[in-house]
Amino acid sequence: MAHFEEVLKQSNVHPKPAGLVLQYGTAGFRTNAKQLDHIMFRMGMLATLRSKKTKATIGVMVTASHNPEEDNGVKLIDPMGEMLTPAWEDYATQLANVEQEELLTSLKDIIEKEAIQMSQEANVFVGKDTRSSSARLSQAVVDGVIALGSQLKDYGLVTTPQLHYMVCCQNTQGKYGEATLKGYYSKLCQAFIHLTKNASNRTDDQKHIYVDGANGIGALKMREMESHLKNDLRISIFNDGSRGKLNHECGADFVKVQQKPPTGIKINSGDRCCSFDGDADRIVYYYTDSQGLFHLLDGDKIASLISSFLKELTTQAGLDLVIAVVQTAYANGSSTRYLEDTMKVIVRCTKTGVKHLHHAAQEFDIGVYFEANGHGTVLFSKAAEEKIRQRAEDANINDEMKKAALLLQSTINVINQTVGDAIADMLLVEAILAVRGMTVKQWDAIYSDLPNRQLKVKVSDRRVIDTTDAERQAVSPAGLQEAIDSLVKKYRQARSFVRPSGTEDVVRVYAEADTQESADALAHEVSLAVYRLAGGVGHEPKPLH
Ligand code: NG1
Ligand code: ZN
């Protein structure tokens, strides 16, 4: 076959360093950019096979999200804009790791196992973030796509969620929207303008938001979007990439983990700020109060705001829809209590990793899912969307019901249902605050976070840690869970768990308790237990204070 000759020729341009083994993890492949050229080429080919198999457009995004500038990575996007199906993650790992001379055999093996018709047409969408290595690496993806004879559309610089959106639009024949950046901005911004236009309680300072773009793609895309907002929202962008380094002392991950404002942002007390991560699929909010104290409003608080808004609107519209919030073990205990006891919504806990949350959220009429780190979105079932549409068009209902149904429709349109999207989530939060006339302080006050701490421990092989119960309990190594249990008992309102990271070669430790000192002490003690029982390497973890 002609394609295979081309594959052989091109694979010599993108050779695999012998012996290198990488795995398609929760965030695709992610490592130092120098090691990724062959991976990109091979993922271009795998996307083509996936496209032939599904008879649909597949996306390939070149990014390493919140990782440092010298890293890069790649993720495949399935037809409805969702993450690659797990069975194909295994093919991705297989294809990535075969040595040069076995490449064709491995390709043919996938083709055979999946009964792929090579004569079937294929179409692949490619996108990249602003890393200096991204241009070269996305070219390697393109070479892989072309080698197997697929059609191709290169979107160039886009956020991860924008590429997910394009794939979904393309495969739904435009029902979800137009597969262009202009289509994306106008859908989201029109919905935002509709939501805010009758917001009688909105104050002037509510029309101004400060955005930390993490020196990445999000900043560029916010600039592009501004004109579509028709002055309905003023946006001040910091860390726009003109000076600082990507994700360096800025961005959503830095702000969440360090629990402090990013460098490079100048704000006054009470100003409403948010930080995106390096590929703009995460967002966290924050402000400083009149005493200069920093307040973080993370994914849990965003999920709480959104779900309470949706509950209010569905009730006002007289719609009986089941709303659930999906979280992970990292969700602050106060948020879970607030959602269950005060809001009375269903709460589910899944393993870390967006695909797990997304999957669980699909089981409800309305599923709001957020990781504490700010990655999340809202899913509406087809039936729920239909009920909302019918209610909005019903001529026999009162004004209040009608208004609520129309607001719900615009809420659906401002959301990117394919994946967590910092830009879309920001517009939704801004709209809710405007409609409610709510300040960032009032939003923050819906519940108080339990003080918490996240730490990392280096061990020689993090796979020795095995967990259960949505990662909240360690089943191995022996004795670790017992050690954690007895440490937790020493503190009030305490909780702690450990799990191997899916994106870094470390074990993550999380602890929360009634005071910051207790949370810090507990996190440190649990880190020591991990170090001692799970084969820690290097120095023993030191206390934080
Ligand atoms: P790992 O490295 O597995 O903890 C991190 C985040 C996840 C998810 C992935 C993918 C934390 C604690 N973990 O995973 O939530 O976002 O990266 O980017 O924030
Ligand atoms: Zn990201």
Side-chain angles (χ1 to χ4, degrees):
M1 294 264 294
H3 290 325
F4 292 134
E5 279 165 32
E6 188 58 23
V7 168
L8 276 185
K9 209 167 100 200
Q10 282 291 325
S11 73
N12 291 325
V13 184
H14 303 287
K16 174 184 180 290
L20 179 64
V21 177
L22 296 167
Q23 195 172 349
Y24 196 98
T26 43
F29 292 103
R30 207 183 278 188
T31 186
N32 188 291
K34 289 191 186 120
Q35 299 188 315
L36 284 168
D37 185 70
H38 68 293
I39 299 275
M40 297 290 166
F41 172 68
R42 292 169 183 209
M43 288 307 106
M45 292 196 293
L46 190 71
T48 298
L49 294 185
R50 181 81 185 136
S51 172
K52 287 180 190 288
K53 169 77 187 184
T54 57
K55 302 188 174 56
T57 297
I58 295 296
V60 184
M61 182 69 196
V62 176
T63 181
S65 186
H66 58 278
N67 284 41
E69 158 75 33
E70 51 287 6
D71 285 0
N72 216 322
V74 60
K75 284 188 272 200
L76 266 60
I77 303 167
D78 253 2
M80 296 315 288
E82 70 278 40
M83 306 280 173
L84 180 66
T85 194
W88 279 65
E89 290 184 2
D90 295 339
Y91 291 141
T93 302
Q94 172 193 321
L95 194 63
N97 292 320
V98 288
E99 300 302 333
Q100 284 296 98
E101 50 281 7
E102 300 154 47
L103 184 57
L104 275 191
T105 317
S106 176
L107 269 181
K108 286 176 186 163
D109 179 51
I110 299 169
I111 292 166
E112 197 173 301
K113 277 197 188 126
E114 291 293 325
I116 292 166
Q117 295 292 327
M118 289 306 282
S119 55
Q120 172 68 39
E121 281 188 6
N123 193 27
V124 176
F125 283 0
V126 181
K128 60 170 183 277
D129 72 11
T130 57
R131 284 162 205 273
S132 54
S133 60
S134 288
R136 173 177 63 78
L137 291 175
S138 82
Q139 184 55 48
V141 173
V142 169
D143 289 350
V145 172
I146 292 173
L148 274 188
S150 172
Q151 303 277 342
L152 165 93
K153 181 159 177 180
D154 189 350
Y155 280 89
L157 292 169
V158 281
T159 70
T160 297
Q162 284 176 334
L163 193 66
H164 283 255
Y165 179 90
M166 302 306 164
V167 170
C168 180
C169 290
Q170 181 71 13
N171 290 321
T172 52
Q173 285 75 43
K175 279 203 204 82
Y176 194 63
E178 195 190 295
T180 61
L181 279 171
K182 190 163 161 275
Y184 169 91
Y185 296 130
S186 65
K187 179 180 174 186
L188 267 57
C189 293
Q190 271 174 28
F192 176 79
I193 291 166
H194 179 262
L195 279 169
T196 54
K197 78 171 175 231
N198 294 317
S200 49
N201 299 327
R202 195 179 186 200
T203 57
D204 266 354
D205 69 43
Q206 279 193 303
K207 294 186 180 169
H208 193 177
I209 173 83
Y210 297 82
V211 180
D212 156 25
N215 290 315
I217 185 73
L220 288 183
K221 297 296 146 180
M222 285 294 280
R223 286 251 155 78
E224 270 178 24
M225 186 175 73
E226 264 183 308
S227 63
H228 294 260
L229 283 168
K230 305 206 170 37
N231 297 324
D232 206 31
L233 184 66
R234 258 176 66 214
I235 304 169
S236 297
I237 305 170
F238 294 86
N239 298 325
D240 64 355
S242 54
R243 282 192 305 272
K245 220 168 133 185
L246 178 72
N247 295 328
H248 182 67
E249 296 192 337
C250 62
D253 198 63
F254 173 86
V255 172
K256 167 74 181 158
V257 177
Q258 303 293 323
Q259 305 184 25
K260 61 184 184 198
T263 53
I265 192 161
K266 282 188 207 69
I267 42 162
N268 296 315
S269 102
D271 286 343
R272 204 168 59 260
C273 314
C274 62
S275 283
F276 294 0
D277 74 337
D279 62 341
D281 60 359
R282 288 196 201 174
I283 180 169
V284 294
Y285 270 80
Y286 45 92
Y287 70 98
T288 49
D289 63 22
S290 48
Q291 271 104 53
L293 262 176
F294 173 76
H295 296 256
L296 176 71
L297 296 91
D298 64 2
D300 304 334
K301 216 153 236 174
I302 296 173
S304 302
L305 181 75
I306 295 174
S307 55
S308 74
F309 182 67
L310 290 170
K311 187 155 183 201
E312 193 176 286
L313 287 184
T314 48
T315 309
Q316 282 170 3
L319 289 166
D320 187 17
L321 297 171
V322 178
I323 302 177
V325 176
V326 184
Q327 307 185 310
T328 70
Y330 291 100
N332 195 280
S334 293
S335 75
T336 314
R337 201 163 328 116
Y338 170 78
L339 289 165
E340 284 179 335
D341 300 352
T342 311
M343 288 279 311
K344 309 234 181 290
V345 294
I346 299 168
V347 178
R348 284 283 142 81
C349 183
T350 70
K351 291 203 302 196
T352 303
V354 182
K355 64 181 175 200
H356 302 294
L357 290 103
H358 191 93
H359 193 72
Q362 282 172 327
E363 286 171 29
F364 303 91
D365 295 327
I366 302 178
V368 180
Y369 74 81
F370 265 88
E371 295 190 302
N373 62 30
H375 190 146
T377 186
V378 186
L379 305 183
F380 293 83
S381 71
K382 282 278 153 290
E385 283 197 11
E386 186 52 28
K387 280 187 193 165
I388 291 166
R389 192 187 61 78
Q390 280 174 4
R391 188 56 48 107
E393 287 168 8
D394 191 342
N396 302 316
I397 53 170
N398 66 37
D399 286 354
E400 194 206 359
M401 275 176 136
K402 178 120 195 150
K403 188 178 168 210
L406 286 169
L407 284 177
L408 274 171
Q409 267 196 318
S410 295
T411 305
I412 293 173
N413 286 331
V414 88
I415 289 165
N416 182 349
Q417 293 193 52
T418 63
V419 77
D421 182 333
I423 293 178
D425 290 343
M426 184 201 83
L427 290 177
L428 177 58
V429 167
E430 292 301 303
I432 296 173
L433 296 178
V435 170
R436 290 187 160 173
M438 198 182 209
T439 64
V440 69
K441 281 184 209 156
Q442 289 167 330
W443 169 24
D444 190 32
I446 59 176
Y447 64 82
S448 302
D449 274 322
L450 280 170
N452 57 88
R453 181 64 63 194
Q454 250 194 69
L455 296 174
K456 308 177 193 185
V457 184
K458 272 219 160 284
V459 297
S460 56
D461 181 3
R462 68 194 198 277
R463 288 172 302 183
V464 300
I465 299 207
D466 197 8
T467 63
T468 183
D469 187 23
E471 306 177 318
R472 289 172 290 193
Q473 297 280 322
V475 289
S476 75
L480 180 59
Q481 188 57 48
E482 290 74 10
I484 296 173
D485 289 341
S486 67
L487 292 168
V488 165
K489 279 201 195 104
K490 291 170 45 187
Y491 301 94
R492 267 199 287 263
Q493 293 181 274
R495 184 170 74 90
S496 179
F497 67 92
V498 304
R499 53 175 281 280
S501 159
T503 62
E504 270 182 81
D505 190 13
V506 295
V507 175
R508 291 198 201 285
V509 172
Y510 177 86
E512 63 184 32
D514 62 338
T515 65
Q516 191 63 56
E517 290 67 35
S518 298
D520 288 351
L522 178 58
H524 171 247
E525 287 163 355
V526 172
S527 299
L528 269 181
V530 170
Y531 182 89
R532 286 172 191 157
L533 296 167
V537 294
H539 289 294
E540 236 184 38
K542 289 200 182 69
L544 284 129
H545 300 287

